[in-house]
Amino acid sequence: MTMRAGTYNVRAKGHDSSYMPMKVTLSEDKIKNIKIDSSGETKGVADEVFKRLPKEIIGGQTLNVDAVSGATISSHGVVDGIAEAITQAGGNADEWKKRSKPVKRNGQNKEYSTDVVVVGAGGAGLTAAARLIQNNKKVIVLEKYPQIGGNTTRAGGPMNAAEPDWQKQFKALPGEKQSLKKLAVTPIEHIDPEYRADFKKLQEQIQKYLASGENYLFDSTLLHEIQTYLGGKRIDLNSNEIHGNYSLVNELVNNVLDSVKWLTDLGVKFDRSQVTMPVGALWRRGHKPVEPMGYAFIHVLGDWVKAHGATILTDTRAEHFLFKNGKIAGIIAKNSAGSKVIVHANNVIMTSGGFGANTPMVKKYNTYWKHIDDDIATTNSPAITGDGIRLGQEAGADLVGMGFIQLMPVSDPKTGEIFTGIQTPPENFIMVNQKGKRFVNEFAERDTLAKAAIANGGLFYLIADDKMKDTAYNTSQAAIDAQVKAGTLFKADTLADLAKQIHMDPGTLITTIKKYNSYVDAGKDPDFGKSAFNLKCEQGPFYATPRKPAIHHTMGGLKINTNAQVIAKNGKVIPSLYAAGEVAGGIHAGNRLGGNSLADIFTFGRIAADSICKKDASADVTSGASQN
């Protein structure tokens, strides 16, 4: 069936439920050109789709192409958009979808030798690679998915690091001093012994600040340490208590500001005009990049390591360790063509993430949540399936904290996405249940929010007004309008009309918001004790964003020490094996603070690389001494 030649304007459904404009140029019997405007898409999540699929479709003259791993929605969106163009041109789109797939030739097995092989090209892996290159090490990075980024690409962007001299320029929010006062009078007996000396010093810092009468945003590395510890101290369903390993937490908070400075030197630009925080962070110490979300880190790190000589092998899954004389000597992997890839290396760094996209594995280990549904959504990249945990066990690694799973309370009910709708900093959160009533301190930890949401039926709404909307992360008016049109975000000129749209009693929602606004004025929440406030909700239009908890972060993983070395079940270091990021456990314990994940991956990614370099330098000195 011939087509009417021309260029057709169509739309492709994107990863974040928006639609991307496409121009498809057709001749009478061929697809000649495909141009996709992906500017509205979350950068770094589906970039490979827009590079790969047009080439495959044009090259094979077929719509029967495989979805790009990790970007199924965007892949189908591109194919469906082109099919629409063919239909408009009078062609038979179904026939194009039934054509033969592009021929993929099997490649030959490949073998490499390097100083270090890094497994996983997310934030931790790229950080380790960059740091190793800075120390003149040869690096190969293996990434099982078609593009780099992992979960870091999907991160919100704010990275926790106490920087008091910078934070002093910002005023304290109502409620923040009250939180400090509670810490200042907390009995030392409530604190685990290893943290008590630091807690006592923190109380002295807080008392000095409160006595000064100043009204700036207080912070310190000790406050970051204690909040990380208290925020992660939990008891599971079997009455097992867990809290963060003191040495690891201390290492994190005392080195993370250096991570910010190191990233800045590499080219990441931070917005120094604001200090912010993601949900469940407990404190405003977030260093937020100028560019949107985690892409700000990934593209800088990715470009840097490629420009400085690292080899990044995408579509290459690490399957087993390579052993020599009983010790780890590299990785055996397989690429998407089915060919074996062998990497000989003196050291291996595991940075493959957790297992949040592997629901059966989550259910297997979970000891924290009473029930996890088989069809629960996840915020994770589909790549995050626990490969590094399995590999670590192959080498005899010990595991820690595996039963503790973090749910992200403010996730899209259908997709698990975090940044659909109006997602503001928590000081501007107003959470209402399906009856239109508040039900929790919106400034609390993530597990507290998720448990409260589940107790209220799971589904709830974030209510915002026009001013609050302007504080939302990575939200353009075009994206908002598209979601309103799609029915995934609700908008109305009045609270009464908004309530009707989401099947609430208007009087109940109006009363809830009126009370909340009075609490903002008073700086105190007598209902739920919200810990910090900013804006009132009073200027239309008003918005309601549907939210529901989804699997977000797996707290447990490979046991490591402060050198990021992996520890075996016998308590000894596994030679040549290191781990950083979500694949490792022990830092965040039962619940991770928002903003601590980025702090973790960039800090321990650097530590893993530095540990290898120090070990090699020490070995060189020893070797030189023995030769003399």
Side-chain angles (χ1 to χ4, degrees):
M1 184 181 291
T2 60
M3 300 181 291
R4 292 184 295 275
T7 297
Y8 294 84
N9 294 311
V10 291
R11 296 191 307 165
K13 186 175 182 179
H15 165 78
D16 59 358
S17 301
S18 60
Y19 285 87
M20 299 171 290
M22 294 174 56
K23 290 181 181 292
V24 182
T25 302
L26 305 172
S27 68
E28 290 184 349
D29 61 351
K30 285 184 171 60
I31 300 173
K32 304 289 288 185
N33 194 25
I34 302 166
K35 289 187 177 181
I36 305 170
D37 179 2
S38 61
S39 58
E41 275 282 87
T42 302
K43 289 185 177 181
V45 172
D47 294 0
E48 191 65 21
V49 171
F50 314 131
K51 296 176 185 176
R52 183 178 298 191
L53 285 194
K55 290 180 181 178
E56 290 186 359
I57 290 168
I58 293 171
Q61 290 298 305
T62 177
L63 292 184
N64 187 8
V65 292
D66 291 331
V68 174
S69 298
T72 304
I73 294 173
S74 297
S75 297
H76 290 321
V78 169
V79 170
D80 290 344
I82 297 168
E84 174 62 23
I86 290 171
T87 300
Q88 289 183 21
N92 185 344
D94 288 337
E95 185 272 327
W96 280 79
K97 290 181 179 180
K98 293 176 182 176
R99 292 184 178 187
S100 298
K101 290 187 176 184
V103 177
K104 292 185 178 180
R105 296 173 181 169
N106 290 333
Q108 294 182 338
N109 293 342
K110 295 183 178 181
E111 202 158 348
Y112 300 85
S113 292
T114 188
D115 292 325
V116 185
V117 57
V118 178
V119 180
L126 295 175
T127 294
R131 190 69 168 172
L132 287 162
I133 292 169
Q134 287 179 330
N135 286 279
N136 301 312
K137 296 292 184 183
K138 291 188 295 182
V139 184
I140 291 177
V141 183
L142 305 181
E143 170 55 51
K144 73 175 183 180
Y145 266 46
Q147 64 186 46
I148 64 174
N151 267 356
T152 307
T153 301
R154 297 165 182 250
M159 170 184 172
N160 285 345
E163 189 179 354
D165 290 342
W166 169 60
Q167 290 165 279
K168 281 182 178 179
Q169 68 180 292
F170 303 100
K171 289 184 178 180
L173 292 177
E176 286 178 335
K177 281 192 175 183
Q178 199 61 35
S179 296
L180 292 175
K181 288 176 182 177
K182 289 180 181 178
L183 277 176
V185 297
T186 298
I188 197 78
E189 295 79 17
H190 292 185
I191 304 300
D192 286 280
E194 65 268 39
Y195 284 94
R196 286 178 183 173
D198 287 352
F199 186 69
K200 188 174 181 180
K201 291 177 185 176
L202 172 62
Q203 287 185 315
E204 292 171 358
Q205 289 180 350
I206 292 173
Q207 289 163 355
K208 183 177 180 181
Y209 163 73
L210 293 174
S212 73
E214 297 284 355
N215 198 39
Y216 59 79
L217 172 60
F218 168 86
D219 202 8
S220 69
T221 55
L222 287 176
L223 180 59
H224 189 189
E225 174 192 303
I226 295 301
Q227 287 182 324
T228 298
Y229 151 65
L230 291 175
K233 184 174 180 175
R234 294 293 185 270
I235 298 175
D236 71 5
L237 298 173
N238 301 319
S239 300
N240 295 314
E241 189 270 349
I242 192 172
H243 60 266
N245 178 293
Y246 171 79
S247 296
L248 294 177
V249 173
N250 188 267
E251 193 78 14
L252 173 68
V253 300
N254 282 289
N255 287 280
V256 65
L257 186 56
D258 285 340
S259 296
V260 173
K261 294 174 181 177
W262 180 79
L263 287 164
T264 302
D265 289 341
L266 258 61
V268 176
K269 295 180 180 178
F270 289 94
D271 182 358
R272 304 288 290 179
S273 69
Q274 60 172 316
V275 60
T276 186
M277 59 176 277
V279 57
L282 293 183
W283 208 251
R284 292 183 298 143
R285 58 173 63 95
H287 293 66
K288 190 175 186 297
V290 172
E291 289 188 278
M293 301 172 64
Y295 176 78
F297 303 108
I298 291 300
H299 93 84
V300 169
L301 286 166
D303 290 349
W304 195 95
V305 298
K306 290 173 186 175
H308 289 80
T311 299
I312 300 179
L313 303 178
T314 55
D315 279 316
T316 304
R317 179 192 295 264
E319 295 194 328
H320 298 286
F321 286 114
L322 182 66
F323 289 96
K324 185 177 181 180
N325 299 324
K327 294 185 178 180
I328 291 173
I331 290 288
I332 301 170
K334 185 180 288 184
N335 63 26
S336 58
S339 303
K340 184 180 287 188
V341 178
I342 297 177
V343 183
H344 300 271
N346 299 325
N347 298 281
V348 176
I349 303 179
M350 301 301 303
T351 57
S352 52
F355 52 99
N358 186 342
T359 305
M361 188 172 177
V362 167
K363 296 186 72 171
K364 172 187 173 181
Y365 282 106
N366 168 55
T367 59
Y368 192 60
W369 300 95
K370 291 181 180 179
H371 179 73
I372 292 179
D373 294 330
D374 290 335
D375 60 350
I376 189 172
T378 179
T379 65
N380 286 245
S381 159
I384 311 302
T385 54
D387 299 36
I389 305 294
R390 177 184 57 78
L391 273 170
Q393 289 177 300
E394 182 181 282
D398 198 5
L399 303 180
V400 58
M402 292 292 289
F404 291 87
I405 311 297
Q406 182 171 86
L407 302 185
M408 172 57 76
V410 287
S411 302
D412 188 291
K414 293 183 178 179
T415 67
E417 290 293 311
I418 305 176
F419 295 103
T420 56
I422 308 292
Q423 187 85 317
T424 69
E427 62 263 27
N428 291 329
F429 275 7
I430 306 176
M431 296 180 175
V432 302
N433 61 21
Q434 296 169 57
K435 294 181 179 180
K437 296 182 178 181
R438 286 180 67 224
F439 57 91
V440 70
N441 165 17
E442 295 95 337
F443 214 73
E445 298 99 320
R446 289 175 175 178
D447 60 340
T448 300
L449 299 176
K451 286 180 179 180
I454 291 169
N456 280 267
L459 179 69
F460 66 95
Y461 296 88
L462 286 171
I463 305 299
D465 72 350
D466 199 48
K467 284 187 177 180
M468 288 178 171
K469 177 203 71 177
D470 292 337
T471 70
Y473 299 116
N474 195 37
T475 303
S476 67
Q477 190 62 51
I480 290 172
D481 293 341
Q483 290 176 74
V484 170
K485 187 175 181 180
T488 56
L489 173 66
F490 300 92
K491 176 183 178 182
D493 290 332
T494 66
L495 285 170
D497 286 342
L498 186 68
K500 291 175 184 177
Q501 287 187 39
I502 51 180
H503 309 293
M504 290 177 185
D505 173 60
T508 300
L509 181 61
I510 290 170
T511 299
T512 295
I513 300 303
K514 185 177 180 179
K515 286 173 68 177
Y516 179 87
N517 288 342
S518 72
Y519 300 160
V520 176
D521 284 334
K524 188 176 181 180
D525 173 13
D527 293 337
F528 300 100
K530 185 171 182 179
S531 314
F533 300 89
N534 191 356
L535 298 175
K536 291 192 288 186
C537 182
E538 56 187 357
Q539 181 173 308
F542 299 92
Y543 298 88
T545 302
R547 300 284 89 171
K548 188 178 182 181
I551 295 170
H552 183 59
H553 193 97
T554 47
M555 312 305 302
L558 307 179
K559 190 173 184 178
I560 62 170
N561 61 19
T562 54
N563 293 319
Q565 295 170 295
V566 177
I567 308 300
K569 291 181 179 179
N570 62 9
K572 295 181 179 180
V573 166
I574 299 176
S576 304
L577 183 59
Y578 301 78
E582 195 175 351
V583 73
I587 301 174
H588 311 293
N591 173 71
R592 178 176 61 76
L593 299 188
N596 265 7
S597 178
L598 293 174
D600 176 5
I601 63 175
F602 298 129
T603 300
F604 277 89
R606 289 190 307 117
I607 288 171
D610 288 347
S611 296
I612 289 172
C613 296
K614 289 176 184 176
K615 180 189 71 171
D616 289 354
S618 177
D620 289 343
V621 170
T622 302
S623 176
S626 64
Q627 290 175 11
N628 291 332

